[in-house]
Amino acid sequence: MDLRIIPYSPEYEASLLDLERASPQGNHLRLEMLRDHFLSRSRVFDEFGVFLAVGGSGGLLGVAAGSAVMLECNGSLDRVGYVYDVRVAVPFRRKGIAQSLIQYVTREYFGSLGIERYITTIKASNRPAAKAGLSALGVSYHYPFSYLIIPTSMRLREDIKPGSQSRFRVSEFGMAESAEWVYRHPEGGPACFRTDLTYRVKAVSVAPWLNFAMRTLRLLKGAEWKLPRLGKEVRFATAFDLSPENFRLLNDLFEYLEKSSIQYLAVCCRKGDHYYRNLRSSAINSTEYRVLANFPLQDADSLTLDVRCL
């Protein structure tokens, strides 16, 4: 196949947004990502590169992006590369394009930044992405975590007891205090990244069994148990700097987001930890993810991921 990899160009903006719409995320609940501009996610990083795979006639075949981020592992803070936004047009999938793009990002772009260690995050159930990532990254290490989607209309019980800190944490490294996409609790409570300012989502399909389950749970649990309506745009935020000490202030964050017309909060944690045990029953969805890395990363390691990587 005649393939060229070039830097992002505005002339491909419409094609990139079409490609995004043609790449819904999820299995039982399929979500289409909506952006005002394809670079809106990348622009939250200080250093990033977006690269396009184009065919001989100049048509868009795929895209991949990379950013320099900080990662804390077992107390050591290091600069690594983060690969994301890998998309390939449906007619050209399984032709090695994703691998070519990922290799270009890791070898050429990260190489130009002097970065030799890199990561990506994928759904554990996304086997094609895992295969492409493992092959292109030369990955031999992975680290599991869970992604909980919680309606901001829910409220925690007042009698929840403090727990221990999880080995997996989400924080931020280097974002300005005044950054428009960050909300920080005035009393040092949990903060959130305004994911809705980089992209929103729209539900395009829901498995029948999931609709039935949510209707049943709504009767038992109350109004907070609602799935996104098909075709309706919904907004998310992602929690970070959550700790056993400030966990009780999470209700304040839910209240702020609900008043800001943000319907869901994503909380990333690990199965069995304090946050998972207390929030799983209130989540409309729990998805298993993996951090893939080309350097040693063990299940027992303590890892802090930049919220912009989620």
Side-chain angles (χ1 to χ4, degrees):
M1 177 181 294
D2 188 2
L3 173 71
R4 293 181 296 124
I5 296 180
I6 63 172
Y8 168 86
S9 171
E11 70 179 281
Y12 287 95
E13 177 69 13
S15 296
L16 284 164
L17 295 179
D18 287 342
L19 177 58
E20 184 83 302
R21 285 188 287 270
S23 306
Q25 308 294 306
N27 296 317
H28 308 303
L29 175 61
R30 301 282 281 172
L31 299 172
E32 178 184 306
M33 293 178 66
L34 306 171
R35 312 189 198 197
D36 295 327
H37 193 287
F38 191 79
L39 295 184
S40 61
R41 185 180 181 194
S42 293
R43 284 173 173 164
V44 303
F45 297 102
D46 295 328
E47 296 176 279
F48 68 87
V50 178
F51 303 95
L52 316 180
V54 298
S57 61
L60 180 69
L61 307 180
V63 59
S67 295
V69 300
M70 301 304 293
L71 180 77
E72 185 176 315
C73 185
N74 297 325
S76 177
L77 191 62
D78 295 300
R79 184 168 177 256
V80 302
Y82 170 57
V83 181
Y84 60 100
D85 276 355
V86 180
R87 307 276 189 271
V88 175
V90 174
F92 302 100
R93 292 177 183 172
R94 292 181 171 83
K95 298 181 183 296
I97 294 174
Q99 290 92 330
S100 296
L101 281 163
I102 294 171
Q103 287 175 351
Y104 187 90
V105 171
T106 56
R107 296 175 184 177
E108 301 298 327
Y109 179 62
F110 291 156
S112 71
L113 298 178
I115 294 175
E116 297 180 350
R117 307 205 307 170
Y118 29 85
I119 63 169
T120 191
T121 55
I122 64 163
K123 289 182 181 177
S125 61
N126 191 342
R127 293 183 179 180
K131 184 177 179 180
L134 290 167
S135 172
L137 291 174
V139 166
S140 56
Y141 303 95
H142 63 89
Y143 189 91
F145 68 97
S146 298
Y147 209 112
L148 303 181
I149 302 299
I150 303 167
T152 57
S153 57
M154 76 85 69
R155 297 296 181 267
L156 293 174
R157 303 189 318 271
E158 295 294 333
D159 60 348
I160 291 179
K161 297 180 180 180
S164 58
Q165 182 60 275
S166 174
R167 289 195 301 269
F168 176 72
R169 298 185 64 242
V170 178
S171 189
E172 60 83 19
F173 301 104
M175 281 194 290
E177 290 290 327
S178 60
E180 62 175 338
W181 46 78
V182 173
Y183 170 77
R184 301 179 192 275
H185 192 285
E187 298 178 23
C192 73
F193 177 74
R194 290 285 303 270
T195 312
D196 64 303
L197 297 180
T198 61
Y199 67 87
R200 288 92 55 209
V201 298
K202 179 174 68 176
V204 293
S205 68
V206 181
W209 70 266
L210 185 57
N211 255 330
F212 175 78
M214 288 298 104
R215 284 197 299 269
T216 302
L217 287 169
R218 190 159 62 246
L219 292 173
L220 298 173
K221 295 284 186 176
E224 69 269 20
W225 286 84
K226 292 181 180 179
L227 287 170
R229 293 180 183 176
L230 290 181
K232 183 178 180 181
E233 182 178 308
V234 295
R235 296 173 181 267
F236 284 79
T238 306
F240 68 92
D241 284 349
L242 196 59
S243 72
E245 293 75 25
N246 68 26
F247 190 68
R248 62 183 177 81
L249 296 173
L250 194 57
N251 281 342
D252 293 347
L253 186 56
F254 284 132
E255 184 176 356
Y256 159 76
L257 293 172
E258 188 175 21
K259 288 181 178 179
S260 302
S261 299
I262 298 172
Q263 296 95 335
Y264 297 97
L265 177 68
V267 177
C268 295
C269 49
R270 297 195 83 181
K271 273 190 173 181
D273 70 14
H274 175 66
Y275 314 122
Y276 188 92
R277 291 195 306 271
N278 285 288
L279 295 173
R280 175 62 185 93
S281 62
S282 298
I284 65 165
N285 194 35
S286 173
T287 306
E288 294 306 300
Y289 268 72
R290 300 285 185 269
V291 177
L292 300 184
N294 73 329
F295 54 90
L297 194 59
Q298 308 299 330
D299 187 73
D301 287 338
S302 294
L303 190 73
T304 302
L305 193 65
D306 192 302
V307 67
R308 291 170 288 184
C309 298
L310 297 168

